[in-house]
Amino acid sequence: MGETQRHRASKSTPSWPAHGLNVVRGALIGTAETVPGVSGGTVALVVGVYDTAIGSASRLVTGARLALADLPRGRGLSRAAHEVRQVQWRVIVPLLLGMFAALLLMAGLVEGWVEEQPVHSRALFFGLVLASLWVPFSLASRAPLPNGASSPWRPGEAVIALVSAAAAFVIVSLPPGEVEATPLVVVAAAAVAVSALVLPGLSGSFLLLTFGLYERTLSAVNDRDFGYLGLFALGAALGLASFVKLMQWLLENRQRITLVVLTGVVAGCLRALWPWQDEDRALLAPGDDLGAAVGFAALGFAVVAAFAVAEHITKNRREAAARAAGGDAADGLGRTAAQPYAASLPPHHGTER
């Protein structure tokens, strides 16, 4: 009995290497959020933590709503505390640590490289996102139909993806703007930009660039302008609270069509990363640095492909170990951690305890 309990405890408690891997995943997401055109949501999807992040954020939003509703009525915090306990803190905390560390460390470096080497940087990010396109595409093909049957992509779904891609293409073609950074504008821009963390394909930095607040926001991070950052955090919290519940509902109740739309959005947003553009985002023909751009794009593609292969191998090993141990619960945990939406989503994403 003691050995069995120790075995279960070892399965339910993430090891230090697992925590370290989640810190790295968070750092990749945070780095992506500093780069115009690269979606933090796409990176979260590729590294296998998107489902966990959405589910945990939804729990936090529900907990905050219940606390605001119950406290004035004298009902206490029991319902809110129950929701907060369902958050997968052992995954979320390392993710947030890595993400915020990367934002602080990479903001200045990425800002300088993007400005000094726009063609090379966009080429690298183009390859990254192009390889990432396989993730929602393959997940959509494996997601069940409304009647529960399985099927590869159908013609109607391809049309929906094309329409979504066209809409995203038009949005990311908008020229950059310039607005005064008033408190209301900062809060509103942050609320819109943070949707990129929830919706793969969209880039929060790119949206800030469209609003004319990208450089101002990076400067606030580099200069530790806590007044501006406080307003931005308020807007981000409001945006997450209003959008994360919608995405969770879609992924639980309209999983396949949501992934189809996300595939189109990611594809359409590749337009923002075409290496040769002018300051108004008009597309240009390849220049003399075509060879270097192709090399950077190939490097970005290879990095994501290698990460996807590593995740696939890890998932197979976890599932094989779970089957050998005869633990159905452990099997579900391994599948969720390594591959989002590998099966139908549970109602509350509370697989890890």
Side-chain angles (χ1 to χ4, degrees):
M1 176 66 71
E3 184 176 353
T4 301
Q5 290 176 342
R6 285 194 300 270
H7 176 72
R8 289 178 178 174
S10 67
K11 279 182 160 305
S12 62
T13 303
S15 61
W16 283 109
H19 289 311
L21 182 58
N22 284 327
V23 170
V24 172
R25 287 166 168 161
L28 292 173
I29 296 170
T31 301
E33 283 302 313
T34 66
V35 180
V38 181
S39 168
T42 299
V43 176
L45 196 63
V46 171
V47 300
V49 296
Y50 183 76
D51 181 34
T52 300
I54 287 291
S56 296
S58 177
R59 288 289 194 176
L60 282 176
V61 170
T62 301
R65 179 178 57 81
L66 290 175
L68 292 174
D70 290 350
L71 277 177
R73 300 174 184 176
R75 297 178 178 175
L77 294 173
S78 59
R79 293 201 302 167
H82 173 74
E83 292 294 330
V84 173
R85 284 194 296 269
Q86 302 305 312
V87 175
Q88 298 188 36
W89 293 109
R90 290 172 292 182
V91 177
I92 297 301
V93 170
L95 278 179
L96 291 177
L97 289 175
M99 182 176 172
F100 285 117
L103 284 172
L104 293 175
L105 294 175
M106 297 299 294
L109 296 176
V110 171
E111 181 183 18
W113 187 51
V114 169
E115 290 179 355
E116 295 172 7
Q117 302 289 341
V119 173
H120 296 167
S121 61
R122 281 198 293 261
L124 176 66
F125 304 139
F126 187 95
L128 288 169
V129 177
L130 180 62
S132 303
L133 186 61
W134 170 254
V135 177
F137 177 86
S138 61
L139 292 175
S141 65
R142 294 197 298 270
L145 297 170
N147 60 7
S150 60
S151 170
W153 277 58
R154 298 174 297 175
E157 292 170 338
V159 171
I160 293 174
L162 289 174
V163 172
S164 302
F169 187 96
V170 171
I171 291 173
V172 300
S173 300
L174 297 175
E178 191 68 41
V179 296
E180 184 180 355
T182 64
L184 183 59
V185 168
V186 173
V187 170
V192 175
V194 80
S195 64
L197 280 173
V198 181
L199 183 61
L202 288 181
S203 164
S205 295
F206 187 86
L207 294 175
L208 288 176
L209 195 61
T210 299
F211 299 145
L213 294 176
Y214 175 69
E215 294 182 358
R216 177 69 181 87
T217 303
L218 277 187
S219 297
V221 174
N222 292 327
D223 300 336
R224 309 299 189 265
D225 184 349
F226 294 109
Y228 181 97
L229 294 177
L231 291 171
F232 195 91
L234 174 61
L238 294 174
L240 280 177
S242 59
F243 201 69
V244 70
K245 297 294 288 185
L246 172 62
M247 281 303 300
Q248 185 193 27
W249 184 89
L250 288 173
L251 291 170
E252 289 180 354
N253 298 280
R254 299 290 185 272
Q255 180 186 357
R256 184 176 176 106
I257 193 62
T258 300
L259 291 169
V260 167
V261 171
L262 290 181
T263 302
V265 170
V266 174
C269 287
L270 282 170
R271 187 256 186 245
L273 297 173
W274 178 250
W276 298 275
Q277 308 181 31
D278 62 20
E279 294 182 355
D280 292 327
R281 298 178 182 164
L283 300 182
L284 305 175
D288 296 335
D289 44 8
L290 175 61
V294 171
F296 275 104
L299 174 62
F301 191 98
V303 168
V304 172
F307 208 107
V309 170
E311 285 288 336
H312 181 72
I313 293 173
T314 301
K315 181 196 73 167
N316 288 341
R317 287 178 177 175
R318 285 176 176 173
E319 292 181 346
R323 285 193 298 269
D328 294 336
D331 179 54
L333 174 61
R335 187 171 57 248
T336 300
Q339 179 63 65
Y341 320 130
S344 57
L345 294 172
H348 300 295
H349 305 270
T351 54
E352 182 172 307
R353 292 181 173 87

